[in-house]
Amino acid sequence: MATEIKVPTLGESVTEATVARWLKKLGETVAVDEPLVELETDKVTLEVNASAAGVLSQIVADEGANVEIGGLLGVIDGAGAQPAAAAPAKPAPAAAPAAPVPAAAPATAAAPATASDLDRSGPAAQKLVAENNLDAAAIPATGKDGRLTKGDVLAAIETAPARPAAAPAAPAPAAAPSAPRDTAAREQRVRITRLRKRIAERLKEAQNTAAMLTTFNEVDMSAILALRESYKEAFEKRHGVRLGFMSFFVKACISALKELPMVNASIDGDDLVYHNFYDIGVAVGTETGLVVPVVRDADKLGFAEIEKTIGAYGKKARDGKLTMEELTGGTFTISNGGVYGSLMSTPILNPPQSAILGMHKTQKRPVAIGDKVEIRPMMYLALSYDHRIVDGREAVTFLVRVKENIEDPQRLLIDL
């Protein structure tokens, strides 16, 4: 009995996907619930599992093909039919014997010199002949056995007609223009993934739609580092997760969002929508692109719950297991470029949100503390915001509140 493999429902507003790769080859045996093919949507990559056991007898949608919900991907034959055997390769024709190469004719012996026995002449005569570029064979020799004497050469120089001045050397021909370089062999072309296309569309949408500005500040990380050092072992032992920076920044941002609700708002047509909940998106970089899973109702979660949620999202993002629901929505986003070593950057808005916080690398720098200069672990913060909703005063105030909460984390405990 044949079982069709069809494109499942992909989530709200998603109607099409791309076949990323087949995990099984034609003719291979598959088991129930075994992954068969990966589909790539605008937001996630998901696997389609086998609904029946058998043999993959037909692949309808090849890798790279666009498919719609309910479309046919392939067929599983439950009878266990095997694919047709491949035709044996034709043997390569035998190479024709090479024609014998005739032996090269022996080189003709060089003709003996017929000038005069210059080599047996004296060194003075040889030097004069060479310096004046004379033909020794044309000089009458009066020496013994036909040898040239110095007097013979001097006499030839005196009687020889004046030589014309050497013509100037012809200019070297201009070098021919080099042929254009062939770089095709050193290039690699790969298909742009659907996720990468969607990322590009959303980023360009943010640039084209929002009046985007960025404001900066810096924060002293000394208090957070000291707190983590004091409680990291006890925290991990009790909660089973490490105490990281992100939970502090999520809590610090929520505190500032409550004071400045327009930073947590969005534009919907002609309406300004204030969100009285705090779904914080946390940007995660993967091999296929940037994804932003959302920590729902983060204001109701403790530090340990936030760390566990972010850790789970990171693992699922690397494995390509994030769901559409986990990536949908969000009222504010935090991006940590510091994990890659970024010291300063301007993050781009995640539409339709009105703001995004950029964290960066913690680096020791000299700073003025009172009337002294001290070395402190400092981090630059960047807030990109939509000026249609958020004014400069509000954006700067937001960053100041985040800075205050991070530099004095006890404020978070007493909700200041």
Side-chain angles (χ1 to χ4, degrees):
M1 177 180 178
T3 303
E4 293 183 337
I5 309 165
K6 293 189 176 182
V7 180
T9 301
L10 302 172
E12 184 180 357
S13 75
V14 179
T15 60
E16 191 179 53
T18 300
V19 178
R21 63 180 179 130
W22 279 91
L23 305 176
K24 287 288 186 178
K25 295 180 180 179
L26 190 65
E28 286 189 341
T29 302
V30 297
V32 177
D33 292 332
E34 187 175 8
L36 295 175
V37 59
E38 283 186 354
L39 298 182
E40 187 180 79
T41 70
D42 295 346
K43 297 182 178 180
V44 296
T45 299
L46 54 89
E47 295 177 347
V48 178
N49 297 334
S51 59
V55 172
L56 182 60
S57 60
Q58 188 177 1
I59 292 179
V60 176
D62 294 326
E63 294 181 1
N66 293 330
V67 292
E68 297 182 350
I69 294 176
L72 183 62
L73 297 169
V75 177
I76 297 174
D77 189 347
Q82 297 295 329
K90 295 183 179 179
V101 180
T108 305
T114 59
S116 71
D117 292 337
L118 181 62
D119 292 341
R120 294 188 292 116
S121 301
Q126 294 179 11
K127 183 178 180 181
L128 286 172
V129 170
E131 288 178 350
N132 292 274
N133 195 23
L134 299 176
D135 182 7
I139 302 174
T142 60
K144 186 178 179 180
D145 298 329
R147 298 177 185 176
L148 286 175
T149 66
K150 181 178 179 180
D152 296 336
V153 179
L154 289 174
I157 294 173
E158 291 177 358
T159 59
R163 293 176 177 270
S178 59
R181 292 190 309 157
D182 181 12
T183 60
R186 293 181 287 170
E187 295 177 341
Q188 180 184 8
R189 291 178 178 267
V190 296
R191 180 178 56 86
I192 298 177
T193 64
R194 183 178 289 270
L195 174 60
R196 176 61 60 187
K197 287 182 180 179
R198 182 56 176 162
I199 291 172
E201 291 172 359
R202 289 180 62 81
L203 296 182
K204 195 59 183 175
E205 176 189 351
Q207 290 181 320
N208 292 341
T209 304
M212 191 167 64
L213 297 176
T214 304
T215 186
F216 301 91
N217 210 322
E218 62 178 353
V219 58
D220 186 348
M221 300 291 289
S222 299
I224 294 295
L225 289 172
L227 192 150
R228 289 181 65 206
E229 185 64 27
S230 298
Y231 297 105
K232 64 179 181 180
E233 292 183 3
F235 186 90
E236 186 171 0
K237 183 177 180 180
R238 178 168 182 176
H239 300 290
V241 65
R242 295 180 60 186
L243 180 59
F245 289 150
M246 192 59 73
S247 55
F248 287 97
F249 277 92
V250 169
K251 286 292 188 181
C253 288
I254 291 172
S255 175
L257 291 173
K258 289 180 178 179
E259 179 182 346
L260 301 157
M262 66 290 300
V263 184
N264 199 47
S266 61
I267 291 179
D268 183 13
D270 294 331
D271 297 329
L272 179 58
V273 182
Y274 288 93
H275 306 291
N276 297 319
F277 55 93
Y278 305 92
D279 289 353
I280 307 300
V282 180
V284 178
T286 69
E287 293 182 357
T288 57
L290 186 73
V291 293
V292 187
V294 179
V295 182
R296 307 288 179 186
D297 293 320
D299 56 316
K300 300 177 182 179
L301 304 179
F303 284 81
E305 293 172 301
I306 293 174
E307 293 290 353
K308 288 180 180 178
T309 303
I310 294 174
Y313 281 159
K315 184 178 185 305
K316 293 178 74 172
R318 291 188 295 271
D319 296 340
K321 303 295 185 181
L322 287 170
T323 65
M324 296 294 296
E325 183 181 357
E326 291 167 335
L327 293 167
T328 303
T331 60
F332 182 83
T333 295
I334 301 176
S335 177
N336 185 9
V339 297
Y340 305 110
S342 172
L343 188 63
M344 177 80 76
S345 66
T346 55
I348 298 180
L349 293 176
N350 183 20
Q353 298 171 19
S354 64
I356 177 173
L357 178 74
M359 299 166 55
H360 298 92
K361 178 182 178 181
T362 300
Q363 181 168 287
K364 290 185 177 181
R365 295 196 296 272
V367 293
I369 306 297
D371 294 329
K372 299 180 180 180
V373 175
E374 298 183 10
I375 303 298
R376 295 291 184 93
M378 305 298 293
M379 176 191 290
Y380 287 118
L381 298 179
L383 182 75
S384 293
Y385 60 97
D386 189 345
H387 209 346
R388 297 177 302 167
I389 307 175
V390 183
D391 291 332
R393 178 188 67 84
E394 295 156 345
V396 172
T397 302
F398 178 90
L399 269 189
V400 170
R401 293 294 179 266
V402 173
K403 172 183 172 71
E404 292 172 348
N405 289 328
I406 295 299
E407 293 183 342
D408 184 11
Q410 295 179 8
R411 295 169 59 93
L412 299 174
L413 302 177
I414 56 178
D415 196 21
L416 286 180

